[in-house]
Amino acid sequence: MTTPAHPSVPHPALAAADPELAALVGAEERLQSTTLRMIASENYVSAAVLEATGTVLQNKYSEGYSGKRYYEGQQNIDLVENLAADRAKRLFGVEHANVQPYSGSPANLAVYLAFAEPGDTVLGMSLPMGGHLTHGWGVSATGKWFKGVSYGVRRDTGCTDLDEVRDIARKERPKIIFCGGTAVPRTIDFAAFAEIAREVDAVLVADIAHIAGLVAGGAHPSPAPYADVISTTTHKTLRGPRGAMLMARATRAKALDKAVFPGLQGGPHNHTTAAIAVALHEAAQPAFRDYAHAVVANAKALADALLARGYDLVSGGTDNHLILLDLTSRDVPGKTAAKALDRAGIVVNYNTVPYDPRKPFDPSGMRIGTPSLTSRGLTPDHMPTVADWIDRGIRAAHAADEETLTTIRSEVADLMAAYPAPGLPVGGEG
Ligand SMILES: Cc1ncc(COP(=O)(O)O)c(C=O)c1O
């Protein structure tokens, strides 16, 4: 998808008022422009989304909901929030959408407040197996204030074993079951999770933070017919601003809304709500369906190219936008590899792999994703080149060969110069 670039001096007021900060923004623009960004949870928003986040809507306080506010002067804000919620309902085929959560973590916390009491049991995928902190993991408030129990993936397949999930659910009788995660390279079987949740009378929450754009674009099945609640961030594959939404059937609406406000939050971030509305409008266009399918096609092509170079991938490949590379057999820790790739202009994150013998802060794997490079227009034809860079980078990390990393960095910058990033100054000046 192409979007117009900013004018050549992108932030004149900022540059005049605070040159020090403007220089940092410019440096980040250059970095995002010249590197191959492969963090699976990141993306480039369009210039329109970026503009919406910088509007006067940010000046307004609006505690409450449309038509029921605690502050006056909501003539426009109510309409903005209605627009965002209506677009969310249409795009995801749900009866209710709350667009106020500040981000994915508070959105998930609101689900606990709505449907559980402190100390209740919640079931989610364990963090080292690909789940999210807020699905009841011990270091999170959700694991401290609730009893978190977890499922994982099978050692032999790298995939979730739904029989195991059912067994745990029957034994633990959780109030809430989370499906979805941060490092899940395979399709989530929402129907099977719903059946388990129904059997044990749990609220099923589909956390589609990572795959929301794929769901919206028809490149991943939708949880809408199955989940009691859909929680999502808006800033990953969906290509919106940093924010979140909670969606549900009408029967769950009141409890969710009460939990978000006044349960957890004060005034909604109206500039973010506006940008969410824009992103949802963009995601409803036919071009976004192409984008979502292209994200998956790129990930599959990259997985194939990495497998052809002898790499081990958790679950043997991918169905979505991300790949989990297990570097155990390469004798390079994930952190060492990720830091070397960063010096080579390829930005990824180190990640635990299932049954990782190493510590979470120095694990065996790397998570790589294709949402951002797809937003720049790269195609499956580019993926062998990308796999080569990753392969050369990892070998260079092993051999402490800084020269090769520098060479890759300039090759990456050359390619990226031909694919301007949405929302960024062309060529990365700024
Ligand atoms: C599955 C999932 N849920 C929730 C979150 C939390 O989102 P945030 O970082 O916006 O709090 C994330 C973020 O990575 C996520 O991957």
Side-chain angles (χ1 to χ4, degrees):
M1 290 175 54
T2 53
T3 42
H6 279 283
S8 57
V9 180
H11 317 291
L14 184 60
D18 189 343
E20 190 180 359
L21 194 280
L24 291 174
V25 173
E28 179 61 21
E29 285 171 346
R30 275 191 297 284
L31 192 66
Q32 292 193 16
S33 203
T34 55
T35 53
L36 188 60
R37 299 174 60 233
M38 300 195 73
I39 291 181
S41 49
E42 291 185 351
N43 213 326
Y44 295 95
V45 298
S46 69
V49 168
L50 212 49
E51 276 181 16
T53 62
T55 57
V56 295
L57 297 172
Q58 98 91 35
N59 294 341
K60 193 74 195 115
Y61 241 107
S62 317
E63 281 184 4
Y65 290 100
S66 188
K68 287 171 282 177
R69 304 280 187 187
Y70 291 80
Y71 294 74
E72 298 311 314
Q74 307 296 337
Q75 298 85 330
N76 303 309
I77 299 300
D78 276 2
L79 299 181
V80 168
E81 191 169 312
N82 288 346
L83 197 57
D86 288 345
R87 286 175 177 175
K89 287 193 271 183
R90 254 199 320 276
L91 186 65
F92 288 96
V94 292
E95 291 173 350
H96 178 70
N98 184 315
V99 295
Q100 293 195 5
Y102 297 144
S103 215
S105 302
N108 283 346
L109 199 53
V111 176
Y112 289 78
L113 189 58
F115 302 115
E117 296 293 328
D120 278 350
T121 300
V122 298
L123 173 61
M125 187 178 224
S126 84
L127 182 73
M129 297 276 185
H132 191 258
L133 282 163
T134 55
H135 298 180
W137 196 246
V139 296
S140 149
T142 63
K144 289 185 191 296
W145 297 340
F146 298 86
K147 184 188 165 206
V149 291
S150 54
Y151 57 87
V153 298
R154 285 174 61 123
R155 201 182 268 275
D156 54 345
T157 62
C159 295
T160 297
D161 180 344
L162 287 156
D163 290 334
E164 186 208 14
V165 178
R166 184 178 294 103
D167 288 347
I168 300 171
R170 280 179 179 160
K171 181 164 163 265
E172 301 286 351
R173 309 294 300 187
K175 275 276 177 60
I176 299 173
I177 298 177
F178 280 92
C179 60
T182 64
V184 180
R186 294 297 182 178
T187 301
I188 298 161
D189 187 345
F190 298 119
F193 272 102
E195 204 182 296
I196 295 167
R198 211 167 26 244
E199 187 187 323
V200 301
D201 200 20
V203 172
L204 177 66
V205 183
D207 184 343
I208 61 167
H210 262 260
I211 54 171
L214 306 185
V215 171
H220 187 289
S222 169
Y226 307 107
D228 296 298
V229 178
I230 301 172
S231 171
T232 187
T233 56
T234 47
H235 46 266
K236 299 182 170 107
T237 49
L238 193 56
R239 295 194 60 197
R242 300 200 81 96
M245 305 190 293
L246 287 169
M247 298 177 279
R249 298 197 184 98
T251 51
R252 306 280 184 183
K254 207 164 157 197
L256 281 173
D257 286 355
K258 252 178 75 183
V260 173
F261 176 86
L264 279 175
Q265 298 189 170
H269 295 178
N270 297 310
H271 55 307
T272 300
T273 308
I276 290 173
V278 176
L280 292 168
H281 178 64
E282 292 177 346
Q285 307 309 312
F288 195 87
R289 290 188 81 79
D290 298 341
Y291 167 71
H293 285 91
V295 167
V296 176
N298 278 335
K300 284 179 182 291
L302 181 59
D304 288 346
L306 289 166
L307 288 168
R309 284 157 184 77
Y311 283 91
D312 296 325
L313 308 184
V314 171
S315 83
T318 182
D319 296 327
N320 54 32
H321 63 300
L322 75 83
I323 293 165
L324 258 185
L325 207 56
D326 183 345
L327 293 168
T328 308
S329 66
R330 295 290 168 141
D331 204 21
V332 187
K335 194 173 188 172
T336 308
K339 286 189 174 301
L341 287 179
D342 193 41
R343 297 199 292 284
I346 299 169
V347 189
V348 301
N349 65 278
Y350 55 87
N351 215 96
T352 52
V353 294
Y355 306 99
D356 203 324
R358 301 177 64 88
K359 296 259 184 303
F361 198 59
D362 188 13
S364 302
M366 278 188 341
R367 188 184 67 162
I368 53 185
T370 54
S372 300
L373 59 80
T374 308
S375 294
R376 294 185 75 155
L378 266 58
T379 68
D381 288 344
H382 294 106
M383 294 308 116
T385 304
V386 172
D388 264 338
W389 284 331
I390 292 172
D391 182 31
R392 281 163 59 204
I394 290 170
R395 288 173 195 277
H398 194 247
D401 172 4
E402 286 301 315
E403 205 180 316
T404 295
L405 298 178
T406 307
T407 306
I408 297 170
R409 190 176 189 100
S410 79
E411 291 172 13
V412 168
D414 282 349
L415 179 71
M416 298 330 285
Y419 292 89
L424 291 193
V426 175
E429 70 273 20

